Amino acid sequence: MDVTCTKDMNHMVLIGTSSYCPTHHAAYDYAAPGSELKVWGTDFTENLSAAINKSVTMKGGYDSGYITNSGQTNLHGILTIGAGQLTVENLVVW
């Protein structure tokens, strides 16, 4: 899948320190192995399929400036882990 993520504050997932994506799935696909994804503390409606053989950490609950993650991120959809490793923090799947 060809995924393009850019520096755009309208997007709600930060990869590392400079790449932003609009969805969990786009960020996961775009992220290099070992990346940390910081996700806004808001509601997302999507399915996330972690099917690439890599290790990624997803931390939810961040404010829009990605400074603190004292809240939680709500993912309304299905989370499937088919390959690799996905570590999550402050992520609730409904």
Side-chain angles (χ1 to χ4, degrees):
M1 172 183 258
D2 182 26
V3 178
T4 302
C5 297
T6 60
K7 187 169 176 71
D8 180 348
M9 290 306 294
N10 291 322
H11 293 140
M12 296 183 273
V13 183
L14 172 64
I15 302 170
T17 60
S18 62
S19 295
Y20 296 83
C21 292
T23 65
H24 292 87
H25 191 75
Y28 171 81
D29 284 350
Y30 184 77
S35 292
E36 179 177 276
L37 311 179
K38 295 180 179 180
V39 186
W40 279 4
T42 190
D43 291 340
F44 288 80
T45 301
E46 68 175 286
N47 294 324
L48 172 58
S49 177
I52 301 171
N53 192 16
K54 61 182 176 182
S55 177
V56 174
T57 299
M58 183 175 289
K59 294 183 176 182
Y62 275 90
D63 59 17
S64 62
Y66 302 97
I67 305 301
T68 62
N69 68 334
S70 57
Q72 72 183 28
T73 297
N74 296 305
L75 178 62
H76 299 272
I78 298 169
L79 170 62
T80 305
I81 302 172
Q85 179 178 345
L86 178 65
T87 303
V88 297
E89 176 183 303
N90 297 345
L91 178 70
V92 177
V93 181
W94 297 88

